[in-house]
Amino acid sequence: MEDVNTDVSAPGAETQPVDPADNNGGFFVPDAYKNEGWTRNLKSYDDLWKTSDSAQKMIGKKTIGIPDEKSTDQEIADFYAKLRPGKAEDYNVELEGDDKELFEKLFYENGISARQAKALVEGYKESIEKAKAPLFSQDGYKKTMSERFGDKADAKVKSVVDFINKESSAEDKELLNAMPNNILGIVFGLVDKVQTRYAVNDSDVSASTGGSISGDADYSGYIKAVEELSRRPHKTADIDALKSKFNIPIIK
């Protein structure tokens, strides 16, 4: 007959002595966990391992309710409700106009948290500013004009700027100053072409006519009219008519 271990100094022996008739290999639930709900059905080590395995598989899934490809629309909506603000307007993203409404709507419909929304908007704005920088920087301006006019860029730009300063209204100048460099390049190129093809200066007129220009030439109006005329078939007489209308000198 085998001896029964009655040493109460062994861990757990003071409350649960080993029973030689026990078929569970001495399994018992420590006192500290006896009243926990998850231990109530543990009768053996096999039960303990099964419970532990199930718990590991549930981590990150149903335990915290993260939806997956098998989740229903309602389960996804319930999950989003735990993350997002009460309504789209509560994001109050730092954007203006249509962008503000669009982003708030997208964030809400996709369950984005307020913290995530703020980070996404900051990243979006940073990206936009980075893309816009060459369009409005002084270096971008010089590069645009150099690409358009080549070695004659400085002289061409000065001529166009002088013309604009002389002929444009304050409102027009303000609009031009707000334009990105690529659009300014187009405008400057058009002005330069009109100046080259049609415009003359006072000394040219005096030399050819023996007199001076009567009245002020409206170059700004003339350029706009020529641009409009260039969009449809026209004759040299049409150009001469515009020169007469806007008091542009004609070289014979």
Side-chain angles (χ1 to χ4, degrees):
M1 179 176 179
E2 296 181 359
D3 294 335
V4 177
N5 181 10
T6 58
D7 182 6
V8 297
S9 64
E14 67 277 7
T15 56
Q16 299 200 26
V18 176
D19 183 353
D22 183 9
N23 294 322
N24 294 328
F27 174 81
F28 67 92
V29 178
D31 290 343
Y33 301 102
K34 280 185 175 181
N35 296 323
E36 298 291 340
W38 62 273
T39 66
R40 292 175 184 172
N41 295 321
L42 297 181
K43 304 300 182 184
S44 66
Y45 284 114
D46 187 53
D47 291 340
L48 179 61
W49 290 122
K50 288 180 180 178
T51 300
S52 177
D53 181 60
S54 296
Q56 289 297 320
K57 291 178 179 178
M58 293 294 288
I59 291 176
K61 295 185 178 180
K62 296 298 182 181
T63 305
I64 56 177
I66 297 178
D68 55 26
E69 65 277 1
K70 297 181 180 179
S71 300
T72 65
D73 291 343
Q74 186 58 52
E75 287 174 334
I76 293 175
D78 291 342
F79 177 72
Y80 284 174
K82 298 175 183 179
L83 299 175
R84 65 190 178 191
K87 55 184 183 296
E89 294 80 0
D90 291 341
Y91 285 104
N92 195 27
V93 298
E94 295 181 357
L95 294 172
E96 298 179 356
D98 294 338
D99 279 351
K100 177 178 175 65
E101 183 177 351
L102 173 62
F103 274 80
E104 289 176 345
K105 181 175 182 291
L106 288 173
F107 290 154
Y108 184 80
E109 291 179 347
N110 291 279
I112 302 299
S113 69
R115 182 186 183 92
Q116 290 173 314
K118 182 179 180 181
L120 288 171
V121 169
E122 288 178 352
Y124 169 73
K125 291 170 67 176
E126 182 178 342
S127 176
I128 292 298
E129 289 302 316
K130 185 176 181 180
K132 286 171 56 179
L135 295 177
F136 293 92
S137 69
Q138 186 64 25
D139 288 342
Y141 173 81
K142 291 179 179 178
K143 181 180 179 181
T144 297
M145 297 307 165
S146 178
E147 290 175 348
R148 180 165 290 275
F149 298 117
D151 295 339
K152 299 179 179 180
D154 290 344
K156 292 283 189 179
V157 169
K158 183 180 184 307
S159 175
V160 171
V161 170
D162 288 345
F163 174 80
I164 290 175
N165 286 335
K166 178 181 178 183
E167 302 297 337
S168 299
S169 65
E171 291 78 7
D172 288 343
K173 291 176 184 177
E174 186 174 351
L175 288 174
L176 285 171
N177 287 332
M179 286 183 178
N181 293 326
N182 57 336
I183 301 301
L184 278 178
I186 295 173
V187 174
F188 279 31
L190 290 173
V191 172
D192 175 64
K193 287 181 179 179
V194 172
Q195 285 182 315
T196 302
R197 293 180 183 178
Y198 309 113
V200 294
N201 56 41
D202 292 349
S203 60
D204 292 333
V205 175
S206 296
S208 61
T209 63
S212 60
I213 303 174
S214 60
D216 293 328
D218 182 5
Y219 287 104
S220 179
Y222 175 65
I223 289 173
K224 293 178 181 178
V226 169
E227 289 176 357
E228 177 63 29
L229 183 64
S230 66
R231 299 189 182 100
R232 61 180 187 274
H234 59 276
K235 301 177 181 179
T236 304
D238 296 323
I239 297 294
D240 292 339
L242 288 178
K243 289 182 177 181
S244 176
K245 177 179 178 180
F246 293 100
N247 203 28
I248 305 298
I250 301 175
I251 303 299
K252 298 296 185 179

